[in-house]
Amino acid sequence: MKEQNNRRNSASGSRTRKTTSKGKNGNSGRPKFSRDRKSSERRESSNENGGFRGSRNGGGRSRNGGNSRGRSSRGGSGKRKGTFIPVEKFIHEGRPLQEVKYESEFKFNEMPIHPKLLKNILDLGFTSPTGVQDKTFAPISEVRDVLAIANTGTGKTAAYLIPIINAILLGEDKFQTLIMVPTRELAEQVEDELRKLSKGLKLFGASFIGGRSISNDLRKLRRSFDFVIGTPGRLIDLSKRKAIRFEDFSVLILDEFDRMLDMGFSKDVNFITEKMVSREQTLLFSATLDKTQKEIISSILNNPVEIKITSGNSTAEHIDQDVVYYNRKNKYDVLLSMLESEDFEKVMVFAETKRSVGELAQKLKKSRIKVDEIHGDKTQSYRKFALKDFKDGKINVLVGTDVAARGLDISDVTHVINYQVPQDYETYIHRIGRTGRAGKKGTALTFVEEKKNN
């Protein structure tokens, strides 16, 4: 990324970018900020080869782990194979909440935040930043590239929105930010949070995703904007229609970057980043870090500040995790008996394929469970209403593929159930992150077919 030399002034004085050589660097503490700004959705598997292959000695929960190992794979040429997951990785006793709570040294009203933005933050009920919000505020404000790893439900969206909005308000000149996400639901959620944080600030942002009218998107883009949020496929489509120019964006944010850089999206992401010749800052946020993506991450980031609130390969410490053993004949009955229990108040159930999600949802409906489904074959309107019904308590079970594993902020989900084992451990972490949001207690259960000892 080439260095830029222009200057911007703000209420707090000149804001200039620090130029450094490529390499790792940490947060140097709370600065007096200076800033210089240079001006298809992933395919869901249709195969059903995933999961444990184990004993058939009946249902039941266990914490003994044993020697079973999980494996999932995807058939067909060119599709990513899953990885072996030791069963003990699905077993963890959640730590007490007070042991994992983050205490920030500074409250929001003690940070160099524009008064109008601060009012919006406080009106939303937030007084102190979470760990990821606290540790990323300074480097983002200094126009540093950032690689941030933090558990789901810890406020990663606000962690990048707050300092970027703040920079626009404090700077003389506006700049444009492109936020790319892997799913339609996450795009709408980011847009909603942007709307709340930027209320009354005369900033414009919108989401652009598949499943919506392209004509409406083209109309929206006739006006000037500060933030564009979207999935790669729709963004490229809009660029081909000359509705957006990637060259105009100064900031690139990849939310859930591990998924954005995998085989399903990497080609589109590379195409977009190569077009962003005016890009001065890149921010990568996720709950997990795939070590195999080290090279592509290095090619995107310039001397990044690396912030790891979690290691990127372990689950949320406060979530209780366990396995549920079953045999093939009683798997559904085991699930049904769990969902009929009063303890299972608000439950997300994950399966690997669109077909298996649909079949399971229909079966549960026949068993008089208040349930709906979400996957890639459903229209955006259907998915939106299903999520709303789940949030509002009209249904208490939501069955989904991994499109529901990323970024959905649904409060008070009591249980996540992996009815089928995910393709890899990173996906498992994102799935179980739908419970235990904002540090609350949660439970994650993974179905394992037991194997007889020979």
Side-chain angles (χ1 to χ4, degrees):
M1 194 187 310
K2 62 182 182 180
E3 298 296 343
Q4 306 285 330
N5 298 313
N6 60 311
R7 294 288 184 269
R8 289 199 178 168
N9 293 323
S10 70
S12 58
S14 176
R15 302 165 64 79
T16 61
R17 174 172 185 155
K18 296 181 180 179
T19 59
T20 52
S21 60
K22 195 131 180 164
K24 294 181 182 178
N25 204 341
N27 186 348
S28 59
R30 197 156 305 272
K32 295 178 181 177
F33 300 116
S34 22
R35 187 181 188 91
D36 169 28
R37 289 215 174 259
K38 305 166 260 189
S39 269
S40 81
E41 294 188 43
R42 181 182 179 185
R43 299 176 184 87
E44 295 175 70
S45 172
S46 60
N47 299 304
E48 217 162 334
N49 300 327
F52 280 78
R53 293 295 178 264
S55 190
R56 304 181 185 178
N57 295 331
R61 291 167 62 175
S62 169
R63 288 197 180 271
N64 58 20
N67 295 319
S68 300
R69 294 180 71 83
R71 178 177 66 85
S72 55
S73 61
R74 295 184 183 183
S77 139
K79 295 213 175 183
R80 179 169 64 90
K81 291 185 177 180
T83 56
F84 285 89
I85 307 174
V87 69
E88 57 267 22
K89 281 208 162 191
F90 300 139
I91 301 171
H92 170 79
E93 186 173 357
R95 288 167 51 190
L97 295 180
Q98 61 268 25
E99 293 184 19
V100 296
K101 185 178 180 181
Y102 179 82
E103 294 290 345
S104 173
E105 183 181 357
F106 296 88
K107 293 184 177 181
F108 281 120
N109 61 8
E110 299 171 320
M111 298 167 68
I113 296 176
H114 191 282
K116 291 182 178 179
L117 173 58
L118 177 62
K119 181 181 183 302
N120 287 344
I121 294 170
L122 298 179
D123 286 347
L124 290 171
F126 304 124
T127 56
S128 297
T130 64
V132 67
Q133 292 166 1
D134 185 33
K135 294 181 183 299
T136 58
F137 185 82
I140 293 177
S141 299
E142 293 176 324
V143 201
R144 297 291 305 279
D145 284 5
V146 170
L147 172 70
I149 306 295
N151 281 329
T152 56
T154 55
K156 291 190 293 295
T157 305
Y160 59 74
L161 286 179
I162 289 173
I164 294 296
I165 294 171
N166 196 50
I168 296 173
L169 296 177
L170 293 177
E172 275 190 345
D173 304 316
K174 287 189 175 183
F175 53 87
Q176 295 175 332
T177 298
L178 178 66
I179 304 173
M180 282 199 286
V181 298
T183 68
R184 302 170 186 178
E185 286 74 23
L186 182 53
E188 290 182 327
Q189 188 169 291
V190 172
E191 180 184 19
D192 183 61
E193 191 148 356
L194 173 63
R195 188 180 299 113
K196 293 174 182 176
L197 287 170
S198 62
K199 182 179 178 182
L201 302 182
K202 297 182 180 179
L203 300 179
F204 175 67
S207 63
F208 302 91
I209 56 179
R212 287 187 190 161
S213 166
I214 190 75
S215 299
N216 289 340
D217 285 352
L218 294 171
R219 278 194 294 272
K220 278 195 287 187
L221 287 168
R222 288 173 185 166
R223 63 170 296 177
S224 60
F225 50 83
D226 303 287
F227 293 87
V228 167
I229 306 153
T231 49
R234 177 51 64 98
L235 293 173
I236 290 175
D237 193 3
L238 290 168
S239 74
K240 289 178 178 178
R241 295 169 186 253
K242 311 298 183 183
I244 59 174
R245 284 169 33 93
F246 296 124
E247 297 91 334
D248 295 336
F249 293 94
S250 300
V251 180
L252 171 65
I253 301 171
L254 299 185
D255 199 337
E256 307 289 6
F257 73 83
D258 58 326
R259 173 109 180 251
M260 299 300 301
L261 300 180
D262 74 7
M263 291 177 65
F265 283 122
S266 59
K267 185 177 179 180
D268 288 345
V269 171
N270 286 337
F271 174 83
I272 292 171
T273 55
E274 286 176 2
K275 295 286 186 182
M276 295 181 69
V277 294
S278 299
R279 176 165 52 106
E280 65 167 18
Q281 185 176 33
T282 305
L283 310 176
L284 306 186
F285 281 75
S286 188
T288 55
L289 178 63
D290 187 341
K291 293 179 180 179
T292 65
Q293 296 175 347
K294 185 176 181 180
E295 185 175 343
I296 189 171
I297 290 172
S298 179
S299 71
I300 292 174
L301 296 178
N302 178 29
N303 187 32
V305 176
E306 297 187 8
I307 295 164
K308 297 181 180 179
I309 308 301
T310 180
S311 64
N313 55 21
S314 62
T315 59
E317 292 296 314
H318 62 288
I319 297 176
D320 275 327
Q321 299 156 58
D322 208 347
V323 295
V324 179
Y325 288 105
Y326 70 95
N327 61 51
R328 292 188 182 184
K329 291 182 180 180
N330 76 351
K331 184 178 184 181
Y332 176 75
D333 292 334
V334 172
L335 174 66
L336 182 60
S337 67
M338 293 164 63
L339 296 179
E340 290 176 337
S341 170
E342 291 184 1
D343 294 338
F344 288 70
E345 298 174 4
K346 197 170 188 177
V347 185
M348 295 189 72
V349 180
F350 286 96
E352 278 292 283
T353 68
K354 294 174 279 192
R355 179 180 176 181
S356 56
V357 165
E359 291 176 348
L360 181 58
Q362 291 305 312
K363 204 170 181 179
L364 289 170
K365 285 179 182 178
K366 291 179 181 179
S367 300
R368 299 191 177 184
I369 298 294
K370 293 180 179 179
V371 62
D372 212 331
E373 60 190 283
I374 177 172
H375 55 73
D377 278 352
K378 294 295 183 182
T379 65
Q380 184 58 23
S381 177
Y382 185 99
R383 287 157 64 166
K384 189 172 183 177
F385 280 111
L387 286 171
K388 186 176 187 304
D389 286 348
F390 187 57
K391 289 180 179 180
D392 295 345
K394 293 181 181 178
I395 60 173
N396 65 313
V397 178
L398 184 66
V399 184
T401 57
D402 289 326
V403 299
R406 300 270 179 162
L408 294 184
D409 190 6
I410 302 172
S411 60
D412 302 321
V413 173
T414 59
H415 294 76
V416 166
I417 297 176
N418 295 300
Y419 194 64
Q420 292 177 323
V421 177
Q423 295 292 325
D424 48 53
Y425 191 60
E426 287 75 20
T427 301
Y428 170 78
I429 293 175
H430 285 280
R431 283 186 182 184
I432 72 167
R434 301 314 101 202
T435 187
R437 304 290 289 179
K440 294 180 180 179
K441 194 74 171 174
T443 300
L445 303 170
T446 301
F447 272 64
V448 178
E449 187 178 1
E450 289 185 325
K451 184 175 182 180
K452 287 183 179 180
N453 295 322
N454 293 324

